[in-house]
Amino acid sequence: MDITADDVTVVIDGRPVVDPAHLTCRAGAVTALVGPSGSGKTTLLNCLGLLRVPTRGHVLVDGTDTSGWRSAQRRQFWRDHAAFVLQDAGVMDEESVGFNVTMRSTILGNRTRGDRPRLLAALHATGLEGRDPEPAAHLSGGEKQRLAVARAIYKDAQVIYVDEPTASLDDSNRHAVIDLFTALARSGCTVVVATHDAAVIAAADARYELYLKPCRDPSDHGRTGAPPHIPAPTPPRRPTGESRRTSSPTQPGRPSAPAVSATTLGGHIIGGPPEGQRGTP
């Protein structure tokens, strides 16, 4: 299942958060949304997952424009096709590991319901076999991230949206989680990850880079273009007859250093999955 952003733009309180984004997240591949904190990675991820409606542009699911979808259609997409792995893993500590995977229990809540063979297979794939009756509170941070992945495996999701999955993990758990996502992509899933982790980026098949946006005057709502020019201050006048100190001339043949902006607008896609590794929708 391919997910496409066509000119997706997000403006919040007059400030551009996501500039026009053009990318397609392919089935059978891991696509990394890359950039520093505050560059709009999570906002773009939420647009691709239909959690946020963009200010302008369109999100397409297998070529179908979702702009006109009502909330019921979005809920159906989430229920039937999508899974989300969030920074906090979305784990309910007071519930059992098994319930956190199947999200179903008996009326009294004392037993996990669902497809038990699928549950056991999901726990085995994520290294949590035999722990289904335990409270999720017993798990470490890395184990909770793997539990969230087990939920996606159990659900057999076609698209998996992941937000900073390795932010608080040690090296061992980080590589285990990365391996799980790449394995899911090789099985045909579309995996979209917002990250600034170099190891996740290196494992991705394609990456889309976002950049920090220049700050603007808070009163400049809705205006586009470069920030207003601020003239340099006028030097104070010197008394008549006072000598002036001059700056050293530039060395011959050596140009002066250009001014460098600390922020840049925009984003672009780099790389892509090999044709032979793409899944079928």
Side-chain angles (χ1 to χ4, degrees), residues 66 103 113 194 228 233 235 247 274:
T66 64
M103 304 297 289
R113 292 179 55 208
S247 59

Side-chain angles (χ1 to χ4, degrees), residues 72-235:
Q73 290 170 291
R74 292 197 300 273
R75 286 196 301 269
Q76 184 177 2
F77 169 76
W78 300 329
R79 184 191 66 215
D80 296 343
H81 304 293
F84 294 85
V85 179
L86 308 177
Q87 287 192 51
D88 63 358
V91 169
M92 292 172 278
D93 284 342
E94 69 279 5
E95 300 290 350
S96 70
V97 169
F99 176 83
N100 272 279
V101 174
T102 68
M103 304 297 289
R104 299 178 67 188
S105 68
T106 58
I107 294 176
L108 297 178
N110 56 354
R111 284 190 59 191
T112 300
R113 292 179 55 208
D115 187 324
R116 185 153 185 82
R118 267 172 57 202
L119 167 62
L120 298 179
L123 293 176
H124 176 75
T126 53
L128 296 171
E129 60 271 18
R131 305 191 67 176
D132 50 302
E134 284 187 48
H138 290 181
L139 302 183
S140 67
E143 288 169 335
K144 287 180 179 179
Q145 281 289 0
R146 285 186 272 141
L147 178 57
V149 178
R151 184 186 300 152
I153 294 173
Y154 177 86
K155 187 177 182 180
D156 195 22
Q158 293 173 272
V159 189
I160 302 175
Y161 300 94
V162 191
D163 188 15
E164 298 287 5
T166 60
S168 58
L169 303 184
D170 58 32
D171 284 345
S172 176
N173 276 298
R174 182 164 79 251
H175 289 293
V177 168
I178 293 170
D179 289 345
L180 284 170
F181 290 130
T182 54
L184 286 167
R186 298 301 170 258
S187 71
C189 289
T190 305
V191 181
V192 190
V193 187
T195 185
H196 58 262
D197 186 329
V200 178
I201 297 168
D205 300 289
R207 70 180 186 268
Y208 184 84
E209 295 190 352
L210 297 99
Y211 304 95
L212 290 173
K213 316 301 182 294
C215 296
R216 291 196 244 183
D217 190 297
S219 63
D220 190 22
H221 293 307
R223 201 185 303 172
T224 58
H229 171 69
I230 301 175
T234 303

